[in-house]
């Protein structure tokens, strides 16, 4: 939907900064750039197509007495399974409290105690209580509502909703704008938006899978677009499954927040047996990848998995966790007295567009022999692309490693969005207005890629073959299936989505070990030679996909 107030025809020009995506990272970056003019392009009305709005846990920040930045960094590194970029993490953690205060100034009503101090809770793999929440499980919704109100009241920010960005325009080594399709992607024509600075905040990849907690807009288009434009993609194989999506057959699946387990809820099977203590000494508060595999094993064995909150939360459920309570009651489950059926669902992507500490995809210092490879960054005068910044889940900053620590995602989004704003102000101190293009070719019949049979086949393929548990055989089937779907479906939007799926599957096939969110049943242990990040270009992924197609039986 696009209101008359925001129709591009009403402007003589646009600023040279275009932000792709109306989630937390995009809105926060725009607010931090104010009063400099910015245009936000959002596929859905801002706040409705963003995973940020659905985040239940909160934001992690070391702000309590007894907590320290060192402790937060240590917890993040431990959860990340050996490949966290500690320098980037320390920077993120150190700037966390300042970003919390920014959000308070924007009107976010974080929970406070009777003395007016911020209330902090604990989640899995955190050694201290450092999660800043809103009404138990409404952090994402409340944060987004406050930022949306701030954006709507900021004259320098233009919000154009219902425009699906399909392509990054590249001229040489520079990104010079984007091309978008109006009417929620249903228009026959496309519109070009020239820009000197493009900030990609397009979200994650959850809807590449059949079971996810993410909105449909999170289908990997941003990673695919960036890869097709030449960006380096880092750690794409690391996909985090949330262990406690509510198993009621909804798409996307509603979430039973981790805060429930932080408050003492336990996981049981249909026989009433608590199974996580047999798997990890921290039980339900073990890292998410371990809990997800535990839940997955019970479901696969036919015993089912259930989150029992009846003793830990009980009659306080409606007040403490209203979002989860409403989802359960709508499905005929009373969590006050009944265990909640749960299943692992894709929740977060640790991989994405490789960025530096300023959110730039042009990385300094890549000057060695060879080329950028999946086994490390090498580059003979080879960098990523200029003019493109990225923040939020579409990126891989290195702070999550192989397994994101709970509630670090919203922290990462606001910290790096703010850093991008500062970097753009310093790099491009004076705005330069330019005109919109009427169209950008590809005038054709609209297509709803997200509801199409090929996309449904792709989602099921990813769940079946690149899911909680992977093998060489399943990953080979995935790559072959993705290749067939690509050849049969030439639409640009589908190509972006399939590109991201291919990058994930190829990187997962190459990593012959199990680490964090990537688990190979045929390579169940960690290997010292794989204690490093993955770096991959689309050209390399395509070469490897061809090799798999030619060398492996279908």
């Amino acid at each position: 939907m696009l209101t008359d107030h925001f129709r591009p025809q009403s402007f003589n020009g646009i600023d040279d900064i275009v932000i792709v995506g109306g989630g937390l990272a995009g809105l926060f970056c725009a607010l931090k750039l104010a009063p400099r003019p910015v245009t936000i392009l959002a596929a859905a009305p801002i706040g409705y197509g963003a995973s940020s709005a659905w985040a239940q846990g909160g934001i992690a920040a070391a702000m309590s007495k007894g907590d320290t930045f060192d402790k937060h960094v240590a917890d993040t590194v431990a959860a990340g399974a050996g490949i966290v970029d500690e320098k980037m993490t320390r920077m993120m953690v150190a700037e966390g409290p300042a970003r919390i205060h920014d959000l308070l100034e924007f009107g976010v009503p974080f929970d406070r105690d009777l003395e007016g101090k911020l209330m902090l809770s604990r989640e899995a793999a955190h050694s201290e209580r450092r999660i800043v929440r809103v009404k138990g499980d409404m952090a994402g919704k409340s944060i987004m509502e406050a930022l949306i109100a701030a954006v709507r009241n900021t004259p320098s920010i233009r919000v154009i909703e219902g425009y699906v960005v399909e392509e990054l325009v590249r001229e040489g080594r520079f990104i010079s704008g984007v091309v978008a399709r109006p009417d929620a992607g249903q228009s026959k024509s496309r519109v070009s938006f020239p820009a000197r600075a493009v900030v990609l905040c397009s979200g994650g990849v959850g809807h590449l899978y059949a079971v996810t907690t993410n909105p449909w807009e999170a289908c990997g288009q941003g990673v695919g677009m960036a890869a097709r434009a030449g960006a380096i993609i880092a750690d794409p194989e690391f996909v985090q499954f949330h262990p406690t999506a509510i198993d009621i057959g909804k798409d996307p699946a509603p979430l039973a927040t981790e805060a429930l387990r932080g408050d003492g809820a336990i996981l049981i099977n249909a026989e009433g047996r608590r199974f996580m203590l047999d798997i990890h000494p921290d039980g339900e508060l073990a890292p998410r990848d371990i809990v997800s595999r535990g839940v997955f094993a019970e479901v696969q064995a036919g015993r089912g998995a259930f989150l029992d909150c009846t003793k830990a939360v009980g009659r306080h459920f409606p007040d403490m966790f209203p979002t989860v309570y409403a989802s359960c009651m709508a499905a005929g489950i009373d969590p006050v007295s009944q265990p909640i059926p749960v299943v692992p669902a894709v929740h977060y992507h640790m991989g994405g567009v490789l960025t530096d500490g300023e959110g730039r995809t042009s990385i300094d210092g890549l000057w060695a022999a060879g080329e950028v490879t999946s086994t490390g960054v090498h580059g003979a005068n080879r960098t990523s692309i200029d003019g493109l910044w990225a923040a939020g889940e579409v990126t891989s900053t290195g702070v999550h490693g192989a397994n994101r620590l709970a509630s670090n995602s919203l922290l990462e989004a606001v910290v790096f969005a703010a850093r991008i704003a500062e970097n753009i102000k310093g790099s491009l101190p004076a705005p330069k207005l330019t005109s919109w293009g009427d169209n950008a070719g590809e005038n054709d019949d609209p297509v709803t890629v997200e509801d199409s049979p090929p996309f449904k086949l792709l989602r099921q393929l990813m769940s079946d073959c690149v899911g909680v548990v992977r093998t060489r055989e399943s990953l080979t089937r995935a790559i072959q299936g993705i290749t067939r779907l690509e050849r049969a479906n030439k639409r640009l939007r589908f190509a972006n989505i399939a590109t991201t799926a291919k990058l994930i599957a190829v990187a997962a096939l190459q990593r012959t070990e199990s680490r964090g969110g990537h688990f190979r049943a045929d390579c169940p242990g960690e290997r010292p030679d794989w204690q490093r990040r993955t770096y991959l270009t689309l050209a390399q992924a395509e070469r490897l996909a061809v090799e798999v197609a030619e060398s492996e039986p279908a």
Side-chain angles (χ1 to χ4, degrees):
M1 142 175 215
L2 182 65
T3 63
D4 289 338
H5 179 67
F6 291 109
R7 288 193 182 278
Q9 296 95 299
S10 64
F11 296 107
N12 294 322
I14 61 169
D15 183 64
D16 53 350
I17 302 175
V18 170
I19 296 176
V20 179
L24 174 59
L27 300 188
F28 197 80
C29 186
L31 287 165
K32 280 294 190 177
L33 281 163
R36 181 164 177 163
V38 173
T39 296
I40 296 175
L41 296 176
I46 54 174
Y48 287 92
S51 297
S52 317
W54 297 8
Q56 294 181 358
I59 300 184
M63 301 177 71
S64 67
K65 185 178 180 180
D67 199 1
T68 65
F69 294 157
D70 285 343
K71 288 181 181 179
H72 192 173
V73 170
D75 290 345
T76 301
V77 169
I83 63 168
V84 167
D85 185 321
E86 189 166 341
K87 181 179 179 181
M88 293 278 275
T89 301
R90 189 166 296 280
M91 177 183 70
M92 176 186 75
V93 166
E95 295 179 14
R99 301 290 80 80
I100 296 295
H101 287 295
D102 285 341
L103 291 170
L104 287 167
E105 289 180 5
F106 287 132
V108 178
F110 288 122
D111 293 342
R112 297 178 182 270
D113 61 20
L114 294 177
E115 296 179 353
K117 298 177 181 178
L118 289 174
M119 292 180 64
L120 302 169
S121 64
R122 185 184 172 201
E123 290 184 350
H126 286 274
S127 60
E128 299 285 345
R129 299 181 73 88
R130 65 169 67 100
I131 314 304
V132 186
R133 299 194 294 186
V134 180
K135 296 181 181 178
D137 62 3
M138 297 181 69
K141 181 175 183 293
S142 298
I143 291 169
M144 289 299 291
E145 285 177 350
L147 293 190
I148 289 167
V151 164
R152 298 292 193 197
N153 290 321
T154 303
S156 61
I157 301 174
R158 300 167 181 155
V159 179
I160 301 180
E161 298 161 311
Y163 272 56
V164 177
V165 176
E166 296 184 339
E167 188 174 5
L168 298 171
V169 180
R170 181 170 176 173
E171 297 179 2
R173 57 192 288 263
F174 294 91
I175 294 298
S176 59
V178 303
V179 179
R181 194 178 295 274
D183 301 328
Q186 294 303 292
S187 174
K188 290 186 178 183
S189 62
R190 306 197 302 165
V191 178
S192 62
F193 295 85
R196 284 194 300 163
V198 174
V199 185
L200 192 62
C201 304
S202 54
V205 306
H207 246 72
L208 279 177
Y209 288 78
V211 183
T212 179
T213 62
N214 295 171
W216 70 261
E217 288 85 358
C219 57
Q221 276 213 78
V223 170
M225 280 191 294
R228 288 164 64 84
I232 300 165
I233 307 303
D235 303 331
E237 67 269 38
F238 294 115
V239 178
Q240 186 175 79
F241 290 78
H242 198 291
T244 56
I246 304 174
D247 188 16
I248 52 177
K250 292 189 69 175
D251 182 23
L255 182 65
T257 175
E258 193 163 284
L260 287 162
R261 285 176 282 136
D263 283 353
I266 61 172
L267 284 162
I268 60 174
N269 60 23
E271 301 166 357
R273 186 175 67 83
R274 185 180 181 184
F275 56 84
M276 276 309 303
L277 288 175
D278 297 335
I279 299 171
H280 194 278
D282 290 337
E284 288 77 9
L285 293 180
R288 282 181 175 176
D289 62 304
I290 296 173
V291 181
S292 290
R293 288 196 294 276
V295 171
F296 181 76
E298 293 299 312
V299 173
Q300 289 293 102
R303 294 186 291 268
F306 302 83
L307 185 65
D308 187 353
C309 314
T310 56
K311 293 180 181 177
V313 183
R315 61 186 177 84
H316 301 292
F317 211 120
D319 296 324
M320 291 179 65
F321 301 98
T323 305
V324 180
Y325 182 76
S327 295
C328 290
M329 293 299 289
I333 302 164
D334 185 354
V336 171
S337 58
Q338 295 174 279
I340 305 167
V342 293
V343 65
V346 174
H347 188 60
Y348 193 84
H349 189 209
M350 280 75 75
V353 181
L354 180 64
T355 62
D356 67 4
E358 312 306 324
R360 298 173 299 188
T361 62
S362 177
I363 309 300
D364 294 329
L366 307 186
W367 312 100
E371 63 177 353
V372 179
T373 73
S374 60
T375 56
V377 179
H378 310 284
N381 296 342
R382 182 84 174 269
T383 68
S384 192
I385 44 186
D386 285 336
L388 179 65
W389 286 257
E393 194 174 348
V394 73
T395 69
S396 180
T397 61
V399 302
H400 302 309
N403 190 35
R404 175 181 67 95
L405 181 66
S407 291
N408 266 358
S409 55
L410 299 187
L411 174 65
E412 180 198 34
V414 293
V415 166
F416 286 94
R419 295 184 70 84
I420 287 171
E422 288 303 310
N423 188 250
I424 290 176
K425 289 177 181 177
S427 303
L428 306 172
K432 180 181 178 181
L433 301 181
T434 184
S435 299
W436 266 303
D438 293 330
N439 65 69
E442 198 169 323
N443 294 327
D444 53 19
D445 293 330
V447 58
T448 306
V449 172
E450 294 75 15
D451 290 334
S452 67
F455 186 54
K456 291 178 181 178
L457 288 172
L458 179 63
R459 293 183 71 193
Q460 195 59 55
L461 181 68
M462 292 296 287
S463 282
D464 292 344
C465 299
V466 199
V468 177
V469 177
R470 305 160 176 182
T471 65
R472 177 180 179 83
E473 180 185 359
S474 73
L475 293 167
T476 297
R477 289 201 311 272
I479 293 168
Q480 292 172 336
I482 293 165
T483 300
R484 287 193 296 269
L485 287 168
E486 281 185 310
R487 290 171 180 168
N489 301 275
K490 302 297 185 180
R491 295 284 183 162
L492 184 55
R493 258 161 62 204
F494 186 81
N496 290 333
I497 294 167
T499 290
T500 304
K502 181 189 294 182
L503 288 161
I504 293 171
V506 166
L509 179 63
Q510 284 193 296
R511 185 174 283 273
T512 52
E513 66 156 2
S514 293
R515 185 180 297 272
H518 168 71
F519 184 80
R520 289 275 298 263
D522 52 348
C523 308
E526 290 184 0
R527 285 174 45 183
D529 57 318
W530 271 110
Q531 191 172 336
R532 51 183 165 78
R533 300 181 68 193
T534 299
Y535 302 97
L536 195 63
T537 65
L538 177 56
Q540 292 166 330
E542 288 178 336
R543 286 199 299 270
L544 291 165
V546 169
E547 291 175 10
V548 168
E550 292 177 349
S551 64
E552 300 283 351

